[in-house]
């Protein structure tokens, strides 16, 4: 499966809907400090089912909902949709026939939340199952956060083994 598109609204610094396309090849996000580059990675982790608030650089899950900035009022809901091209047959059996698979996660300030696959409500477990074996996941080394390359290089043999085992699933 390949990353195709990420739609973000109400998540962290994204007040207006952002539609980020990932064309064939390498994509880079460039911008000044604090403009929200890492928030895009947080959105990606979150939609893939991340449960750790710390991994999302917040104190509580509510912190991921747009809290207001530059005269824009706080929002009550965050929603992220990740669309993947299903081009290598790594999707689970029930999704084999779909050319594209979309995953959506929603969170309301009330605490209510929802997960959807191809716009159909599903369980968090279904989201994990979808990514399992695909080489992508909120905690695999398909996503390497700032400072982690250094950690891998500086690791001793035992720690490095853990990194490799985690990457290998
Ligand atoms: P750096 O270059 O320093 O790594 P960055 O471009 O990756 O920065 P981020 O860390 O992604 O930037 O974004 C930080 C911005 O997101 C800050 O301006 C912060 O106020 C804003 N932000 C984070 N959470 C929220 C939220 N819930 N509501 C509104 N804005 C938020």
């Amino acid at each position: 499966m390949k990353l195709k598109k990420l739609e973000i609204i109400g998540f962290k610094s994204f007040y207006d809907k952002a539609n980020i396309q990932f064309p064939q090849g390498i994509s880079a996000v460039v911008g000044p400090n604090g403009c929200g580059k890492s928030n895009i990675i947080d959105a990606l982790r979150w939609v893939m089912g991340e449960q750790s608030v710390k991994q999302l650089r917040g104190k509580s899950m509510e912190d991921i909902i747009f809290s207001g900035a530059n005269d824009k009022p706080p929002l009550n809901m965050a929603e992220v949709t990740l669309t993947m091209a299903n081009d290598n047959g790594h999707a689970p059996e029930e999704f084999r026939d779909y050319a594209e698979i979309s995953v959506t996660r929603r969170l309301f300030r009330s605490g209510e939340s929802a997960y959807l696959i191809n716009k159909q409500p599903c369980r968090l477990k279904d989201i994990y199952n979808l990514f399992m074996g695909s080489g992508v996941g909120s905690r695999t080394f398909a996503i390497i956060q700032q400072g982690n390359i250094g950690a891998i290089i500086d690791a001793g043999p035992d720690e490095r083994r853990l990194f490799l085992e985690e990457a290998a699933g």
Side-chain angles (χ1 to χ4, degrees):
M1 291 193 287
K2 282 206 193 89
L3 213 60
K4 205 168 170 195
K5 190 168 66 178
L6 193 65
E7 291 157 280
I8 312 174
I9 185 159
F11 183 93
K12 291 209 170 183
S13 49
F14 294 91
Y15 174 82
D16 297 307
K17 186 168 187 170
N19 189 331
I20 303 167
Q21 307 277 342
F22 298 93
Q24 196 81 14
I26 296 173
S27 301
V29 181
V30 183
N33 281 352
C35 72
K37 302 182 295 292
S38 305
N39 291 344
I40 298 174
I41 298 297
D42 293 339
L44 195 59
R45 268 179 203 281
W46 186 69
V47 73
M48 291 196 286
E50 181 60 70
Q51 297 300 299
S52 160
V53 173
K54 195 172 144 239
Q55 288 286 337
L56 299 164
R57 304 180 302 144
K59 290 197 182 71
S60 77
M61 209 38 116
E62 200 186 328
D63 290 345
I64 62 113
I65 303 175
F66 180 77
S67 58
N70 304 332
D71 298 333
K72 286 174 178 150
L75 293 173
N76 283 322
M77 185 194 76
E79 183 180 291
V80 176
T81 297
L82 167 66
T83 305
M84 290 159 300
N86 182 22
D87 54 357
N88 60 4
H90 280 180
E93 195 65 49
E94 62 267 41
F95 301 111
R96 289 268 150 89
D97 296 336
Y98 292 89
E100 283 188 357
I101 300 172
S102 72
V103 173
T104 302
R105 183 170 177 181
R106 232 177 249 152
L107 178 72
F108 294 88
R109 230 173 252 290
S110 61
E112 201 185 324
S113 70
Y115 297 94
L116 301 97
I117 296 180
N118 288 346
K119 299 198 167 81
Q120 299 299 316
C122 68
R123 302 163 302 174
L124 173 60
K125 195 169 172 246
D126 300 318
I127 307 264
Y128 286 151
N129 286 345
L130 177 63
F131 291 114
M132 204 179 282
S134 69
V136 242
S138 65
R139 288 294 182 81
T140 62
F141 279 93
I143 297 178
I144 303 177
Q145 71 193 55
Q146 251 172 51
N148 262 14
I149 296 280
I152 295 166
I153 291 166
D154 294 340
D158 290 346
E159 210 184 341
R160 189 169 299 158
R161 186 193 168 106
L162 285 179
F163 285 139
L164 291 174
E165 285 179 349
E166 191 182 338

